[in-house]
């Protein structure tokens, strides 16, 4: 961002690429969007609520009250009707926008100081490949809370290390948390969406990892 804060991170974990869009914040920036090369993607409202969720089957668009506004299915090689996608464009903030045109055409655009960068985070996952994917892991309330507190504690330890390394300045405040911590936070949020838990607990866990 023009402020110097990190906006977009692209990293590799095992055999897939992960793109993380962060909010323009100095300390513990909130995650605004996550795109994975296995076909799963999620965009979040500024308050952390889910905005758009996509999988290898299709996607859904939610309003800020959590109501589903739109739902679609990706066309696949399998026969039968499917719900088509009308192009979607959202602005995560004044610098980052997301345009969804097709499963393999999901563009993340970054515009600042007259210059633009565009990333295509779409992927083409066929139905045959989708059927081989394992079912998502579903954890209980206690397990999710423990995972969230673990990430929070690691975040605090990382901040303490930064303070010790720069005791006489505020440079440590500008340091971004390690990529593996951000990835773990995103995974916990994904597990929360798949788990059968209350909205109140889901919000509490989101607040813990984004504190």
């Amino acid at each position: 961002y023009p402020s110097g804060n990190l906006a977009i991170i692209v990293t590799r974990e095992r055999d897939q690429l992960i793109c993380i869009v962060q909010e323009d914040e100095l300390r513990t920036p909130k995650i605004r969007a996550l795109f994975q090369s296995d076909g799963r993607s999620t965009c979040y409202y500024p308050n952390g609520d889910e905005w758009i969720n996509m999988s290898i089957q299709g996607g859904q668009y939610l309003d800020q009250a959590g109501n589903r506004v739109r739902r679609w299915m990706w066309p696949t090689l399998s026969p039968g009707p499917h719900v088509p996608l009308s192009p979607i464009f959202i602005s995560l903030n004044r610098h980052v926008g997301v345009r969804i045109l097709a499963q393999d055409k999901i563009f993340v655009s970054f515009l600042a100081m007259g210059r633009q960068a565009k990333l295509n985070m779409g992927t083409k996952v066929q139905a045959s490949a989708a059927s081989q994917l394992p079912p998502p892991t579903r954890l209980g309330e206690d397990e999710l809370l423990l995972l969230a507190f673990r990430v929070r504690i690691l975040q605090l330890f990382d901040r303490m290390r930064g303070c010790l390394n720069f005791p006489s300045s505020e440079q440590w405040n500008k340091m971004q948390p390690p990529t593996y911590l951000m990835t773990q936070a995103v995974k916990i949020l994904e597990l929360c969406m798949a788990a059968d838990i209350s909205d109140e607990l889901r919000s509490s866990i989101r607040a813990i990892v984004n504190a």
Side-chain angles (χ1 to χ4, degrees):
Y1 290 107
S3 62
N5 297 327
L6 191 60
I8 298 175
I9 303 169
V10 179
T11 183
R12 179 180 293 275
E13 181 175 337
R14 296 179 182 176
D15 58 346
Q16 71 169 317
L17 290 175
I18 299 175
C19 174
I20 301 172
V21 180
Q22 298 187 141
E23 189 53 274
D24 188 5
E25 297 173 346
L26 180 60
R27 300 184 183 181
T28 57
K30 295 183 177 64
I31 295 173
R32 295 301 312 279
L34 169 74
F35 303 91
Q36 301 182 85
S37 58
D38 64 359
R40 294 178 296 163
S41 302
T42 308
C43 299
Y44 301 95
Y45 283 104
N47 64 356
D49 291 341
E50 185 178 304
W51 194 344
I52 293 177
N53 182 277
M54 292 177 285
S55 67
I56 51 179
Q57 287 84 23
Q60 61 179 358
Y61 184 115
L62 306 175
D63 63 18
Q64 290 187 283
N67 302 311
R68 187 167 63 196
V69 178
R70 297 171 62 179
R71 184 181 181 184
W72 67 91
M73 302 294 291
W74 305 120
T76 65
L77 296 179
S78 59
H82 65 273
V83 182
L85 166 69
S86 298
I88 293 176
F89 176 78
I90 62 172
S91 295
L92 297 179
N93 54 41
R94 59 182 298 187
H95 297 289
V96 184
V98 177
R99 187 180 297 272
I100 305 170
L101 304 178
Q103 186 183 24
D104 58 345
K105 295 180 180 179
I106 300 174
F107 299 100
V108 180
S109 300
F110 178 79
L111 177 64
M113 297 183 292
R115 304 183 67 181
Q116 183 179 30
K118 182 181 293 185
L119 304 173
N120 185 1
M121 298 308 301
T123 184
K124 201 71 171 179
V125 182
Q126 302 295 345
S128 57
S131 62
Q132 298 173 5
L133 293 176
T137 303
R138 295 183 182 272
L139 300 179
E141 297 181 358
D142 293 340
E143 290 86 353
L144 289 170
L145 278 172
L146 285 173
L147 287 173
F149 280 120
R150 177 182 178 274
V151 169
R152 181 58 184 151
I153 291 171
L154 291 174
Q155 290 172 344
L156 291 174
F157 276 134
D158 180 72
R159 186 173 296 182
M160 290 172 60
R161 283 193 296 269
C163 183
L164 291 173
N165 291 333
F166 303 96
S168 60
S169 69
E170 295 184 356
Q171 289 298 316
W172 64 274
N173 280 332
K174 300 180 181 179
M175 297 177 62
Q176 298 294 328
T179 303
Y180 79 91
L181 284 181
M182 291 186 290
T183 302
Q184 289 185 20
V186 169
K187 286 185 176 180
I188 292 173
L189 294 177
E190 288 184 341
L191 291 172
C192 283
M193 298 309 301
D196 184 18
I197 60 177
S198 66
D199 291 338
E200 182 179 0
L201 179 59
R202 190 175 289 114
S203 298
S204 298
I205 292 175
R206 186 162 47 233
I208 292 171
V209 299
N210 286 328

